[in-house]
CSV table of all heavy atoms in Angstrom, one decimal:
chain,number,residue,atom,x,y,z
A,10,LEU,N,-54.9,-49.8,-181.7
A,10,LEU,CA,-56.1,-49.2,-181.2
A,10,LEU,C,-57.2,-48.9,-182.3
A,10,LEU,O,-58.4,-49.1,-182.0
A,10,LEU,CB,-55.8,-47.9,-180.4
A,10,LEU,CG,-55.1,-48.1,-179.1
A,10,LEU,CD1,-54.9,-46.6,-178.4
A,10,LEU,CD2,-55.8,-49.0,-178.1
A,11,ILE,N,-56.7,-48.4,-183.4
A,11,ILE,CA,-57.6,-48.1,-184.5
A,11,ILE,C,-57.1,-48.7,-185.8
A,11,ILE,O,-56.0,-48.4,-186.2
A,11,ILE,CB,-57.7,-46.5,-184.6
A,11,ILE,CG1,-58.1,-45.8,-183.3
A,11,ILE,CG2,-58.8,-46.2,-185.7
A,11,ILE,CD1,-58.1,-44.3,-183.4
A,12,SER,N,-57.9,-49.6,-186.3
A,12,SER,CA,-57.4,-50.4,-187.4
A,12,SER,C,-57.4,-49.5,-188.8
A,12,SER,O,-58.1,-48.5,-188.9
A,12,SER,CB,-58.3,-51.6,-187.6
A,12,SER,OG,-59.6,-51.2,-188.1
A,13,GLU,N,-56.8,-50.1,-189.7
A,13,GLU,CA,-56.7,-49.5,-191.0
A,13,GLU,C,-58.1,-49.3,-191.6
A,13,GLU,O,-58.5,-48.2,-192.2
A,13,GLU,CB,-55.9,-50.4,-192.0
A,13,GLU,CG,-55.3,-49.7,-193.1
A,13,GLU,CD,-54.3,-50.5,-194.0
A,13,GLU,OE1,-53.9,-51.6,-193.4
A,13,GLU,OE2,-54.0,-50.2,-195.0
A,14,ASP,N,-58.9,-50.3,-191.4
A,14,ASP,CA,-60.4,-50.2,-191.9
A,14,ASP,C,-61.1,-49.1,-191.2
A,14,ASP,O,-61.9,-48.4,-191.8
A,14,ASP,CB,-61.1,-51.5,-191.8
A,14,ASP,CG,-60.8,-52.5,-192.9
A,14,ASP,OD1,-60.2,-52.0,-193.9
A,14,ASP,OD2,-61.2,-53.6,-192.8
A,15,GLN,N,-61.0,-49.1,-189.9
A,15,GLN,CA,-61.8,-48.0,-189.1
A,15,GLN,C,-61.3,-46.6,-189.6
A,15,GLN,O,-62.1,-45.7,-189.7
A,15,GLN,CB,-61.4,-48.2,-187.6
A,15,GLN,CG,-62.2,-49.4,-187.0
A,15,GLN,CD,-61.7,-49.5,-185.5
A,15,GLN,OE1,-60.5,-49.9,-185.3
A,15,GLN,NE2,-62.6,-49.2,-184.6
A,16,LEU,N,-60.0,-46.5,-189.8
A,16,LEU,CA,-59.5,-45.2,-190.3
A,16,LEU,C,-60.1,-44.8,-191.6
A,16,LEU,O,-60.6,-43.7,-191.8
A,16,LEU,CB,-57.9,-45.2,-190.4
A,16,LEU,CG,-57.1,-45.2,-189.1
A,16,LEU,CD1,-55.7,-45.6,-189.3
A,16,LEU,CD2,-57.3,-43.8,-188.3
A,17,LYS,N,-60.1,-45.7,-192.5
A,17,LYS,CA,-60.6,-45.5,-193.9
A,17,LYS,C,-62.0,-45.1,-193.8
A,17,LYS,O,-62.4,-44.1,-194.5
A,17,LYS,CB,-60.5,-46.8,-194.6
A,17,LYS,CG,-59.7,-46.7,-195.9
A,17,LYS,CD,-59.6,-48.0,-196.6
A,17,LYS,CE,-58.2,-48.3,-197.0
A,17,LYS,NZ,-57.9,-49.6,-197.4
A,18,THR,N,-62.9,-45.8,-193.0
A,18,THR,CA,-64.3,-45.5,-193.0
A,18,THR,C,-64.5,-44.1,-192.3
A,18,THR,O,-65.3,-43.2,-192.9
A,18,THR,CB,-65.0,-46.5,-192.1
A,18,THR,OG1,-64.7,-47.8,-192.6
A,18,THR,CG2,-66.5,-46.3,-192.0
A,19,ARG,N,-63.8,-43.8,-191.3
A,19,ARG,CA,-64.0,-42.5,-190.6
A,19,ARG,C,-63.4,-41.4,-191.4
A,19,ARG,O,-64.1,-40.3,-191.5
A,19,ARG,CB,-63.3,-42.6,-189.2
A,19,ARG,CG,-63.6,-41.4,-188.3
A,19,ARG,CD,-65.0,-41.3,-187.9
A,19,ARG,NE,-65.3,-40.0,-187.2
A,19,ARG,CZ,-66.2,-39.1,-187.6
A,19,ARG,NH1,-67.0,-39.4,-188.7
A,19,ARG,NH2,-66.4,-38.0,-186.9
A,20,VAL,N,-62.3,-41.5,-192.1
A,20,VAL,CA,-61.7,-40.4,-192.9
A,20,VAL,C,-62.7,-40.1,-194.1
A,20,VAL,O,-63.0,-38.9,-194.3
A,20,VAL,CB,-60.3,-40.8,-193.4
A,20,VAL,CG1,-59.9,-39.8,-194.4
A,20,VAL,CG2,-59.4,-40.9,-192.2
A,21,ARG,N,-63.3,-41.1,-194.6
A,21,ARG,CA,-64.3,-40.9,-195.7
A,21,ARG,C,-65.5,-40.2,-195.2
A,21,ARG,O,-66.0,-39.2,-195.9
A,21,ARG,CB,-64.7,-42.2,-196.3
A,21,ARG,CG,-65.4,-42.1,-197.7
A,21,ARG,CD,-65.7,-43.5,-198.1
A,21,ARG,NE,-64.6,-44.1,-198.8
A,21,ARG,CZ,-64.5,-44.2,-200.2
A,21,ARG,NH1,-65.5,-43.7,-200.9
A,21,ARG,NH2,-63.5,-44.9,-200.7
A,22,GLU,N,-66.0,-40.5,-194.0
A,22,GLU,CA,-67.2,-39.8,-193.4
A,22,GLU,C,-66.8,-38.3,-193.2
A,22,GLU,O,-67.6,-37.5,-193.5
A,22,GLU,CB,-67.5,-40.4,-192.1
A,22,GLU,CG,-68.3,-41.7,-192.1
A,22,GLU,CD,-68.4,-42.4,-190.7
A,22,GLU,OE1,-68.0,-41.7,-189.7
A,22,GLU,OE2,-68.9,-43.5,-190.7
A,23,MET,N,-65.6,-38.0,-192.7
A,23,MET,CA,-65.2,-36.7,-192.4
A,23,MET,C,-65.1,-35.9,-193.7
A,23,MET,O,-65.6,-34.7,-193.8
A,23,MET,CB,-63.9,-36.6,-191.7
A,23,MET,CG,-63.9,-37.3,-190.3
A,23,MET,SD,-62.3,-37.3,-189.5
A,23,MET,CE,-62.2,-35.7,-188.8
A,24,ALA,N,-64.6,-36.5,-194.8
A,24,ALA,CA,-64.5,-35.8,-196.0
A,24,ALA,C,-65.9,-35.5,-196.6
A,24,ALA,O,-66.0,-34.5,-197.2
A,24,ALA,CB,-63.7,-36.7,-197.0
A,25,GLU,N,-66.8,-36.5,-196.4
A,25,GLU,CA,-68.1,-36.2,-196.9
A,25,GLU,C,-68.8,-35.1,-196.2
A,25,GLU,O,-69.5,-34.2,-196.8
A,25,GLU,CB,-69.0,-37.5,-196.8
A,25,GLU,CG,-68.6,-38.6,-197.9
A,25,GLU,CD,-69.1,-39.9,-197.6
A,25,GLU,OE1,-69.8,-40.2,-196.6
A,25,GLU,OE2,-68.8,-40.8,-198.4
A,26,GLN,N,-68.6,-35.0,-194.9
A,26,GLN,CA,-69.1,-33.9,-194.1
A,26,GLN,C,-68.5,-32.5,-194.6
A,26,GLN,O,-69.2,-31.5,-194.8
A,26,GLN,CB,-68.8,-34.1,-192.6
A,26,GLN,CG,-69.3,-33.0,-191.7
A,26,GLN,CD,-70.8,-33.0,-191.5
A,26,GLN,OE1,-71.3,-34.0,-191.3
A,26,GLN,NE2,-71.5,-31.9,-191.7
A,27,LEU,N,-67.2,-32.5,-194.8
A,27,LEU,CA,-66.5,-31.3,-195.3
A,27,LEU,C,-67.0,-30.9,-196.7
A,27,LEU,O,-67.2,-29.8,-197.0
A,27,LEU,CB,-65.0,-31.6,-195.3
A,27,LEU,CG,-64.3,-31.7,-194.0
A,27,LEU,CD1,-63.0,-32.3,-194.1
A,27,LEU,CD2,-64.2,-30.3,-193.3
A,28,THR,N,-67.2,-31.9,-197.5
A,28,THR,CA,-67.8,-31.6,-198.8
A,28,THR,C,-69.1,-30.9,-198.7
A,28,THR,O,-69.4,-30.0,-199.5
A,28,THR,CB,-68.0,-33.0,-199.6
A,28,THR,OG1,-66.7,-33.6,-199.7
A,28,THR,CG2,-68.5,-32.7,-201.0
A,29,ARG,N,-70.0,-31.4,-197.8
A,29,ARG,CA,-71.3,-30.7,-197.6
A,29,ARG,C,-71.1,-29.3,-197.0
A,29,ARG,O,-71.7,-28.3,-197.5
A,29,ARG,CB,-72.2,-31.5,-196.6
A,29,ARG,CG,-72.7,-32.8,-197.2
A,29,ARG,CD,-73.8,-33.4,-196.3
A,29,ARG,NE,-73.3,-34.0,-195.1
A,29,ARG,CZ,-72.8,-35.1,-195.0
A,29,ARG,NH1,-72.8,-36.0,-196.0
A,29,ARG,NH2,-72.3,-35.6,-193.8
A,30,ASP,N,-70.2,-29.2,-196.0
A,30,ASP,CA,-70.0,-27.8,-195.4
A,30,ASP,C,-69.3,-26.8,-196.2
A,30,ASP,O,-69.5,-25.6,-195.9
A,30,ASP,CB,-69.2,-28.1,-194.1
A,30,ASP,CG,-70.0,-28.9,-193.1
A,30,ASP,OD1,-71.2,-29.2,-193.3
A,30,ASP,OD2,-69.5,-29.2,-192.0
A,31,TYR,N,-68.5,-27.2,-197.1
A,31,TYR,CA,-67.8,-26.1,-197.8
A,31,TYR,C,-68.2,-25.9,-199.3
A,31,TYR,O,-67.4,-25.4,-200.1
A,31,TYR,CB,-66.2,-26.5,-197.8
A,31,TYR,CG,-65.7,-26.2,-196.4
A,31,TYR,CD1,-65.5,-27.1,-195.5
A,31,TYR,CD2,-65.1,-24.9,-196.2
A,31,TYR,CE1,-65.0,-26.8,-194.2
A,31,TYR,CE2,-64.6,-24.6,-194.9
A,31,TYR,CZ,-64.6,-25.6,-194.0
A,31,TYR,OH,-64.0,-25.2,-192.7
A,32,GLN,N,-69.4,-26.3,-199.6
A,32,GLN,CA,-70.0,-26.0,-200.9
A,32,GLN,C,-69.8,-24.5,-201.2
A,32,GLN,O,-70.1,-23.7,-200.4
A,32,GLN,CB,-71.5,-26.3,-201.0
A,32,GLN,CG,-71.8,-27.8,-200.8
A,32,GLN,CD,-71.4,-28.7,-202.0
A,32,GLN,OE1,-71.5,-28.2,-203.2
A,32,GLN,NE2,-71.0,-29.9,-201.8
A,33,GLU,N,-69.5,-24.2,-202.5
A,33,GLU,CA,-69.4,-22.8,-202.9
A,33,GLU,C,-68.4,-21.9,-202.1
A,33,GLU,O,-68.5,-20.7,-202.1
A,33,GLU,CB,-70.8,-22.1,-202.8
A,33,GLU,CG,-72.0,-22.9,-203.4
A,33,GLU,CD,-71.9,-23.0,-204.9
A,33,GLU,OE1,-71.4,-22.1,-205.6
A,33,GLU,OE2,-72.3,-24.1,-205.5
A,34,LYS,N,-67.5,-22.6,-201.4
A,34,LYS,CA,-66.6,-21.7,-200.6
A,34,LYS,C,-65.1,-21.9,-201.1
A,34,LYS,O,-64.8,-23.1,-201.6
A,34,LYS,CB,-66.6,-22.1,-199.1
A,34,LYS,CG,-67.9,-21.6,-198.6
A,34,LYS,CD,-68.0,-21.9,-197.1
A,34,LYS,CE,-69.4,-21.3,-196.5
A,34,LYS,NZ,-69.8,-22.0,-195.3
A,35,GLU,N,-64.3,-20.9,-201.0
A,35,GLU,CA,-62.9,-21.1,-201.4
A,35,GLU,C,-62.2,-21.7,-200.3
A,35,GLU,O,-61.8,-21.0,-199.3
A,35,GLU,CB,-62.3,-19.7,-201.7
A,35,GLU,CG,-62.4,-19.3,-203.2
A,35,GLU,CD,-61.5,-18.1,-203.5
A,35,GLU,OE1,-60.4,-18.3,-203.7
A,35,GLU,OE2,-62.1,-17.0,-203.3
A,36,LEU,N,-61.9,-23.0,-200.4
A,36,LEU,CA,-61.4,-23.8,-199.3
A,36,LEU,C,-59.9,-23.9,-199.5
A,36,LEU,O,-59.4,-24.4,-200.5
A,36,LEU,CB,-62.1,-25.2,-199.3
A,36,LEU,CG,-61.5,-26.3,-198.3
A,36,LEU,CD1,-61.6,-25.8,-196.9
A,36,LEU,CD2,-62.3,-27.5,-198.5
A,37,VAL,N,-59.2,-23.7,-198.4
A,37,VAL,CA,-57.7,-24.0,-198.3
A,37,VAL,C,-57.5,-25.0,-197.2
A,37,VAL,O,-57.8,-24.7,-196.0
A,37,VAL,CB,-56.9,-22.7,-198.0
A,37,VAL,CG1,-55.4,-23.0,-198.0
A,37,VAL,CG2,-57.2,-21.6,-199.1
A,38,VAL,N,-57.0,-26.2,-197.6
A,38,VAL,CA,-56.8,-27.2,-196.6
A,38,VAL,C,-55.3,-27.2,-196.3
A,38,VAL,O,-54.5,-27.3,-197.1
A,38,VAL,CB,-57.2,-28.6,-197.2
A,38,VAL,CG1,-56.9,-29.7,-196.2
A,38,VAL,CG2,-58.7,-28.7,-197.6
A,39,VAL,N,-55.1,-27.1,-194.9
A,39,VAL,CA,-53.6,-26.9,-194.5
A,39,VAL,C,-53.2,-28.2,-193.7
A,39,VAL,O,-53.8,-28.4,-192.6
A,39,VAL,CB,-53.5,-25.6,-193.7
A,39,VAL,CG1,-52.0,-25.5,-193.3
A,39,VAL,CG2,-53.8,-24.4,-194.5
Side-chain angles (χ1 to χ4, degrees):
L10 289 184
I11 307 170
S12 72
E13 200 174 347
D14 273 354
Q15 285 175 295
L16 288 167
K17 238 179 226 165
T18 305
R19 187 68 188 119
V20 169
R21 196 182 274 258
E22 283 171 4
M23 294 174 87
E25 285 165 1
Q26 181 71 51
L27 291 164
T28 302
R29 288 191 290 274
D30 292 356
Y31 284 93
Q32 294 289 326
E33 312 292 329
K34 291 185 174 153
E35 267 192 87
L36 173 61
V37 182
V38 178
V39 179

